[in-house]
Amino acid sequence: RILLNAVVDPVRDNVKGIAVTVQDITREVELNEAKSQFISNVSHELRTPLFNIKSFIETLYEYGDELSETQKLEFLETANRETDRLTRLVNDVLDLSRLESCKIYQFEAIDLVQPIEQILRTYQLNAKDKGIELIKDIEPDLPPVFGHYDLLLQVFANLVGNALKFTEAGGKVALRAYSLRSSEDQVQQFVRVEIGDTGIGIDGADQEAIFDRFFRVENRVHTLEGTGLGLSIVKNIIERHRSHVRLVSEVGCGTTFWFDLVVFQENPEFEEMSVTLD
Ligand code: ADP
């Protein structure tokens, strides 16, 4: 962007010269484009379940008398499922927009055992219903990490939820946490967290794209249950913790997502993390 400003002489009231300012607005333009793309994707995603719900209600309303009880029940069940999908979508979009608009999160010392156990309690029943073994493998005396409890809870919920969704009966889902020490002084610097499953796996070609908003691997049974936003939320939160989510996966064998969190220390440098988040 080039801005031209006339420089006026206040005494003589005439133009003394022209000031030329050149600003690089590539990032601004890119952000605006990403925002419009996001809004258009959200609108598209919202329209589909809304259209389905409306069609089912209209059919029941207009042709209800001609439908059998079984047909009516099927229609209602589908409309109910679509409403659930709409709710999930709205919740995920709100979570993502909250994450993006809130620049300051108060980070503190987090004992990871607590959010991990909370998530295991939440998903225990679901895992049992599906015949999947849920495993907890946490190093004893794990040091606290620098983080945000609710945000980390959401990361665990999304990753464990996905692992259970894409694993067949008889499979395993494991949550592991252990400290990584530097080789010289053996000081604990990071805690590595892994969420592994023995599920259907992710093809190499899809592995990078799965973190994109609304991306879902096609032709999968559970595609309709998802919003395609879960992993973008995970990526955003882990990046706020100054880390990266990575994965190893093999089709038909399983997937493991992992990331490292900084071990908490009384150190002003860590305090900065709370306020300098972008
Ligand atoms: P969704 O709401 O669809 O689960 P996500 O962003 O969480 O959205 O995940 C994107 C896609 O990545 C999923 O639709 C699925 O195809 C794939 N995926 C995510 N986690 C796993 C996993 N543990 N095993 C296999 N595929 C997965």
Side-chain angles (χ1 to χ4, degrees):
R1 175 163 55 198
I2 297 175
L3 298 172
L4 290 178
N5 280 317
V7 182
V8 179
D9 181 338
V11 181
R12 295 200 193 126
D13 200 21
N14 61 1
V15 176
K16 275 205 312 191
I18 304 285
V20 182
T21 319
V22 181
Q23 287 177 340
D24 181 0
I25 57 163
T26 323
R27 173 105 183 104
E28 207 176 302
V29 171
E30 275 173 6
L31 278 177
N32 277 337
E33 277 170 10
K35 220 177 271 170
S36 329
Q37 184 65 43
F38 182 60
I39 291 171
S40 119
N41 286 348
V42 170
S43 318
H44 173 79
E45 296 285 328
L46 290 177
R47 225 177 271 142
T48 318
L50 269 177
F51 174 81
N52 290 342
I53 294 165
K54 177 126 179 77
S55 313
F56 285 121
I57 291 176
E58 262 174 12
T59 316
L60 278 173
Y61 193 57
E62 284 175 29
Y63 305 101
D65 294 344
E66 299 160 34
L67 297 172
S68 70
E69 283 308 307
T70 324
Q71 280 173 319
K72 278 189 207 166
L73 208 64
E74 265 172 30
F75 272 41
L76 285 173
E77 271 168 11
T78 316
N80 198 22
R81 251 198 331 267
E82 290 293 296
T83 314
D84 287 344
R85 192 173 147 210
L86 204 57
T87 311
R88 278 197 300 269
L89 198 61
V90 171
N91 283 339
D92 278 359
V93 169
L94 284 179
D95 283 345
L96 202 56
S97 97
R98 218 175 287 132
L99 267 174
E100 291 189 342
S101 61
C102 180
K103 296 226 182 298
I104 300 173
Y105 278 98
Q106 211 55 53
F107 278 43
E108 56 190 344
I110 304 285
D111 172 12
L112 282 176
V113 177
Q114 285 170 23
I116 290 178
E117 283 188 343
Q118 188 173 338
I119 285 303
L120 292 177
R121 277 195 301 276
T122 310
Y123 282 99
Q124 200 65 59
L125 211 64
N126 180 294
K128 206 166 161 224
D129 279 352
K130 287 196 71 182
I132 296 172
E133 189 186 349
L134 207 47
I135 301 163
K136 176 182 78 171
D137 182 6
I138 305 177
E139 179 185 284
D141 302 321
L142 194 70
V145 296
F146 204 76
H148 189 284
Y149 190 91
D150 290 338
L151 294 183
L152 289 174
L153 197 65
Q154 186 161 13
V155 165
F156 292 132
N158 290 3
L159 292 177
V160 173
N162 275 348
L164 288 171
K165 202 158 62 175
F166 297 107
T167 300
E168 308 289 338
K172 289 181 181 149
V173 169
L175 242 159
R176 281 180 222 101
Y178 53 94
S179 52
L180 301 174
R181 292 156 203 271
S182 74
S183 47
E184 301 114 49
D185 49 13
Q186 290 292 299
V187 174
Q188 296 165 324
Q189 290 182 318
F190 296 97
V191 167
R192 176 156 299 175
V193 180
E194 297 177 358
I195 291 95
D197 64 58
T198 57
I200 59 175
I202 303 164
D203 194 83
D206 292 323
Q207 286 183 17
E208 209 159 300
I210 55 164
F211 292 103
D212 293 347
R213 291 160 175 184
F214 297 111
F215 180 86
R216 276 163 285 174
V217 178
E218 283 182 14
N219 303 324
R220 284 183 160 183
V221 188
H222 296 291
T223 300
L224 275 183
E225 276 178 32
T227 62
L229 289 175
L231 287 177
S232 339
I233 294 173
V234 167
K235 180 170 181 263
N236 189 316
I237 294 176
I238 295 302
E239 282 175 359
R240 279 179 172 253
H241 284 76
R242 300 241 174 119
S243 185
H244 297 283
V245 200
R246 309 200 193 278
L247 77 143
V248 279
S249 184
E250 204 176 318
V251 173
C253 291
T255 307
T256 297
F257 286 89
W258 57 271
F259 51 87
D260 296 337
L261 297 170
V262 182
V263 166
F264 181 84
Q265 289 165 28
E266 296 293 345
N267 181 336
E269 199 190 309
F270 288 99
E271 300 303 319
E272 255 179 43
M273 277 174 73
S274 309
V275 287
T276 56
L277 294 167
D278 178 21

